[in-house]
């Protein structure tokens, strides 16, 4: 096994020192459960374990031992607290499904990413029990896709469903670290489009794939709920040093997520939705060329000239789907979800009155 990158070694040493000092001061841990997904064969359980001032008291007389009413990473409303939370690296975690227990440890960033086979869960939503020795027990929602379902949606987040004008360094940092999450704005009509498409395919999965950090999952989940978006798993990435370098590739992360979804849910043909402000057209185009049998349609939100300028400093899109794919697939271009919904219905051959699971 290759030696980890020096930046990762330094970061890990820092986290161990900080976590050790927190434990000596009586801090405990907190399990933040994220939404997972799977098939009838396997399920992917996601979450994160962080250090917290709210110590769990498992030996308390009250079996429902209370937590101190202090702020913690999953209910803050300003993003900087998420990014300065300390991961509980290597903390043991147990996932319970029925009478079966599955044990693992979180990774160096406190991330729980466990794939379980032989879970015996039926298609639909389920709550799985998660426990850790120094944390309060919690539950994680997972969506099991019906083996007969062939429709699914993959959606980008930044500038596709939420207006972030990434990657403007100063404004992006302000939005992420300081701005109250309630001031973020949804892209008009996108929530409506997703709800309508899933109303026509009620058993279909929706998966949000982003180059954003796992730290942002709790506020983004609240944003989705508040803005009326269908809830689904978020596949994010870990910012900062890795075992191979200072930073990881966001484009490679998205490519890997798409190919993993195809492997895990081989019957689903996906509608891929992103924007033309960054690399979504080329990523989706390359994937469609590699796996045309697994892509049903592509939707690209067209940013305005101002949004393009703020996104990458030129007023026109620098990336286009047609430049990267040699296969014929329906593709929709629209500035908002209302217009894209009409295009999608034409591309997919459905109407508002039709209710098809095909």
């Amino acid at each position: 096994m290759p030696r980890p990158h020096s930046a990762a070694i330094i970061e890990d040493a820092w986290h161990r020192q900080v976590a050790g000092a927190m434990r000596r001061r009586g801090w405990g841990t907190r399990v933040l459960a994220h939404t997972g997904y799977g098939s009838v064969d396997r399920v992917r359980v996601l979450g994160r374990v962080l250090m917290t001032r709210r110590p769990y008291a498992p030996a308390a007389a009250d079996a429902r031992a209370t937590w101190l009413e202090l702020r913690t990473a999953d209910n803050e409303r300003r993003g900087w607290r998420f990014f300065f939370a300390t991961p509980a690296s290597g903390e043991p975690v147990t996932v319970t499904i029925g009478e079966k227990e599955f044990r693992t440890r979180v990774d160096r960033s406190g991330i729980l990413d466990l794939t379980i086979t032989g879970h015996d869960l039926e298609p639909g939503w389920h709550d799985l029990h998660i426990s850790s020795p120094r944390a309060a027990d919690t539950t994680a929602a997972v969506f099991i896709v019906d083996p007969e379902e062939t429709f699914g949606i993959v959606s980008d987040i930044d500038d596709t469903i939420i207006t972030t004008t990434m990657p403007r360094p100063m404004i992006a940092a302000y939005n992420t670290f300081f701005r109250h999450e309630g001031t973020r704005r949804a892209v008009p009509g996108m929530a409506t489009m997703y709800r309508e498409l899933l109303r026509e395919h009620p058993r279909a999965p929706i998966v949000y794939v982003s180059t954003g950090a796992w730290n942002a999952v709790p506020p983004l989940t609240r944003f989705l709920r508040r803005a009326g978006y269908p809830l689904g798993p978020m596949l994010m990435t870990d910012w900062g040093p890795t075992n191979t370098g200072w930073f990881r590739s966001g484009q490679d992360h998205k490519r890997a997520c798409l190919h993993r979804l195809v492997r895990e849910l081989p019957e689903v043909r996906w509608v891929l939705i992103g924007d033309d402000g960054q690399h979504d057209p080329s990523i989706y185009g390359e994937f469609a060329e590699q796996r045309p049998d697994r892509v049903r349609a592509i939707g690209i939100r067209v940013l305005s000239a101002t949004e393009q300028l703020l996104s990458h400093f030129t007023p026109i899109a620098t990336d286009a789907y047609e430049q990267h794919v040699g296969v014929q697939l329906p593709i929709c271009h629209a500035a908002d979800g209302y217009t894209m919904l009409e295009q999608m219905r034409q591309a997919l051959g459905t109407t508002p009155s039709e209710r098809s699971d095909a």
Side-chain angles (χ1 to χ4, degrees), residues 234-257:
M234 296 185 193
L235 305 183
M236 314 294 278
T237 189
D238 183 25
W239 284 5
T242 71
N243 285 331
T244 58
W246 284 96
F247 302 102
R248 68 191 66 241
S249 169
Q251 296 181 53
D252 289 346
H253 164 70
K254 282 193 172 184
R255 293 187 183 99
C257 287

Side-chain angles (χ1 to χ4, degrees), residues 18 40 86 109 118 167 169 180 193 260 325 330 340 355:
V18 174
V40 293
T86 300
S109 298
H180 193 286
M193 181 182 73
R260 179 167 181 170
V325 66
M340 191 179 293
R355 294 292 182 267

Side-chain angles (χ1 to χ4, degrees), residues 10-332:
I10 294 172
E11 183 185 52
D12 291 348
W14 169 254
H15 284 160
R16 285 195 298 270
Q17 291 295 323
V18 174
M22 289 177 172
R23 291 188 180 102
R24 288 192 294 272
R25 296 183 63 180
W27 286 44
T29 61
R30 180 71 181 257
V31 179
L32 303 183
H34 301 161
T35 303
Y37 68 94
S39 65
V40 293
D41 298 318
R42 63 186 65 225
V43 61
R44 187 178 182 186
V45 183
L46 300 169
R48 198 159 186 241
V49 183
L50 302 174
M51 300 301 299
T52 178
R53 273 191 261 179
R54 296 165 36 152
Y56 180 52
D62 186 351
R64 298 172 299 171
T66 59
W67 291 59
L68 298 177
E69 290 299 325
L70 299 176
R71 290 180 174 179
T72 189
D74 63 340
N75 60 18
E76 288 294 346
R77 294 300 189 270
R78 295 189 189 275
W80 68 269
R81 296 181 187 273
F82 293 98
F83 288 86
F84 286 94
T86 300
S89 305
E91 195 76 5
V93 173
T94 301
V95 179
T96 303
I97 305 177
E99 300 298 323
K100 300 180 181 179
E101 291 187 347
F102 304 87
R103 293 179 173 84
T104 188
R105 289 182 180 271
V106 298
D107 69 8
R108 54 183 291 270
S109 298
I111 295 171
L112 167 65
D113 188 348
L114 176 63
T115 298
I116 296 172
T117 58
H119 53 71
D120 299 326
L121 297 174
E122 296 294 325
W125 285 100
H126 299 271
D127 286 332
L128 308 185
H129 183 265
I130 300 180
S131 60
S132 188
R134 288 176 289 192
D137 294 353
T138 188
T139 58
V142 296
F143 182 71
I144 304 300
V145 180
D146 192 300
E148 298 183 358
E149 180 57 62
T150 63
F151 185 91
I153 299 173
V154 168
S155 173
D156 179 46
I157 294 178
D158 299 328
D159 285 326
T160 299
I161 67 170
I162 181 174
T163 56
T164 57
T165 56
M166 294 287 279
R168 294 183 298 169
M170 298 306 295
I171 300 300
Y174 172 73
N175 286 339
T176 299
F177 292 103
F178 299 106
R179 194 176 185 182
H180 193 286
E181 68 182 47
T183 63
R184 291 187 167 187
R185 295 184 295 113
V187 174
M190 296 301 286
T192 299
M193 181 182 73
Y194 290 171
R195 290 198 307 269
E196 288 298 312
L197 292 178
L198 293 181
R199 184 174 293 119
E200 295 163 7
H201 304 273
R203 298 178 298 175
I206 181 170
V207 181
Y208 299 92
V209 179
S210 172
T211 58
W214 286 107
N215 311 58
V217 169
L220 283 174
T221 299
R222 290 191 294 268
F223 169 83
L224 293 180
R225 187 178 293 112
R226 187 173 62 251
Y229 284 99
L231 294 183
M234 296 185 193
L235 305 183
M236 314 294 278
T237 189
D238 183 25
W239 284 5
T242 71
N243 285 331
T244 58
W246 284 96
F247 302 102
R248 68 191 66 241
S249 169
Q251 296 181 53
D252 289 346
H253 164 70
K254 282 193 172 184
R255 293 187 183 99
C257 287
L258 291 173
H259 284 284
R260 179 167 181 170
L261 286 171
V262 166
R263 294 194 303 270
E264 294 174 329
L265 302 172
E267 302 302 321
V268 176
R269 295 180 61 209
W270 298 93
V271 174
L272 310 179
I273 300 176
D275 64 85
D276 66 353
Q278 292 293 310
H279 301 286
D280 290 341
S282 61
I283 293 171
Y284 291 168
E286 292 169 4
F287 179 73
E289 192 167 31
Q290 295 165 358
R291 298 303 307 267
D293 58 325
R294 296 297 95 203
V295 180
R296 190 180 294 265
I298 293 177
I300 300 297
R301 182 188 170 235
V302 179
L303 273 61
S304 67
T306 300
E307 289 173 317
Q308 295 285 2
L309 184 64
L310 295 174
S311 177
H312 50 75
F313 311 112
T314 61
I316 60 175
T318 58
D319 200 2
Y321 165 84
E322 291 83 355
Q323 298 173 359
H324 302 279
V325 66
V327 298
Q328 295 296 321
L329 283 171
I331 178 169
C332 307

